[in-house]
Amino acid sequence: TILIMKAGAQSKVNYDESKVEPYTLPELLRSAGGQEIKTVKEWESIRRTEIVRLFEEEVYGKIPAEAQLKPTIEILEKEGEAFHGKAVRQQIALDFERNGQSLRVHLLVYLPAGQDNPPVFVGYNFYGNASITEDENILLSPSWVPNKKEFGITENQITDGARGQRAHRWPVEKIIDAGFGLAAIYYGDVDPDRDDFSDGIHPLFYEEGQTKPGPSEWGAISAWAWGASRALDYLKSEPATANSKYILFGHSRLGKTSLWGGALDKRWDLVIANNSGCGGVAISRRKIGETVEAINTSFPHWFADRFKKYNDQENKMPVDQHMLVALIAPRPVYISSAVEDRWADPVGEYLGAYYASPAYQLYGLETPASDQQPSVSKPIHTSIGYHLRPGGHDVTDYDWEQFIAFSRKHLKP
Ligand code: GTR
């Protein structure tokens, strides 16, 4: 947890299942005009489009159309040897320029040596690419980062002290051994995670005199979703990965990001959201753990401004988070929860996944059989996959074993 809850919001936290008030979810397969959605065609042409628009306008905020901007590419490292020759390391800078402003996004790519077009996990990290593994050759990003003494970060700058600090969340060598590539991006390169809209990608698209996005325009989560797609543009332009399958992975706020990114960009072949909680996969109407009001209070910059009107008004939302998962159909999606991560509402995370099933069923796909959350360490690997593991808010080897097995099963060539 990077930011601490502001006083007030925290006092109302409920963890008691028996205090969940009865709620009705917005209907997934009925259009705003009342039409029942019975076919893939109706889903894709009518309802899906409506739901994307609702999430854009009411929740995450719309990405400007001009943002499909092409960066200048600088190859910082072409072919580094990594993991005793098992992998090839590449480091790339994507330079975006507009309105006299510029933004540099660093991409770190590991590909299994000698393997053409491997499936690739693409994931954001919290403390810079150098934090994900001990590899000393990883370049340090100069972007703003929240201070963290234990990582040697005291002046909002990543230093050598951050190297390898998050290696336990990124079993890079195991990923390589399993035949997958990994592309890593520091999320603060795209938009520093603070309530400040003068930095990151947003200012490149301001009109004259504008200082922050409009009420229905992109917050930070939309910005991060956008950035992941720009990394994908690059990877798809490279012969070594042009025909790869792409898995968008994210933990926590970055799991919220992977779901929204996966919904917006159909080129993601598979989407994984770990411990994504409120604003991710958890059903907002349950109000267990983090609520809409709590998240909008602690992180006012994550969502569109308009999302704040649903503070303590979840029943007025035209969407709930199962509809976000449904937007990923028919592509496989994997949701993971942790028993002690109660702030993210593990039961609500399962239900968010489960209630997306009707969209997947339109495509004839297999979905979880029961609305009862599976027991601990009993993963489900249907088109909508899910597991609950012991422990707290984190990414563990067990999680990665499931991500890899699920991806193998569903991305067979
Ligand atoms: C918490 C926040 C969660 C989650 C988490 C994280 O403070 O309340 O929504 O995003 O941070 O990203 O680790």
Side-chain angles (χ1 to χ4, degrees), residues 43-44 48 51-52 55-56 60 63 122-124 221-230 232 246-250 253-273 276 279-280 321-335 360 363:
W43 165 252
E44 289 182 356
R48 189 181 185 282
I51 296 173
V52 170
F55 275 108
E56 284 179 333
Y60 303 104
I63 299 170
V122 179
Y124 279 115
I221 292 176
S222 283
W224 299 323
W226 170 87
S229 286
R230 301 294 72 79
L232 186 56
Y246 287 97
I247 305 156
L248 182 57
F249 158 76
R253 66 198 66 184
L254 300 174
K256 311 179 206 299
T257 300
S258 65
L259 292 169
W260 180 227
L264 287 174
D265 189 339
K266 292 183 180 173
R267 296 174 306 164
W268 296 112
D269 298 296
L270 192 152
V271 174
I272 301 172
S276 64
Q321 299 306 113
H322 63 304
M323 295 160 87
L324 178 63
V325 179
L327 295 178
I328 296 165
R331 293 163 292 150
V333 63
Y334 199 82
I335 303 299
Y360 281 79
Y363 294 88

Side-chain angles (χ1 to χ4, degrees), residues 1-7 10 297-299:
T1 305
I2 292 179
L3 290 177
I4 309 225
M5 289 287 302
K6 283 184 189 146
Q10 183 83 15
T297 307
S298 295
F299 307 103

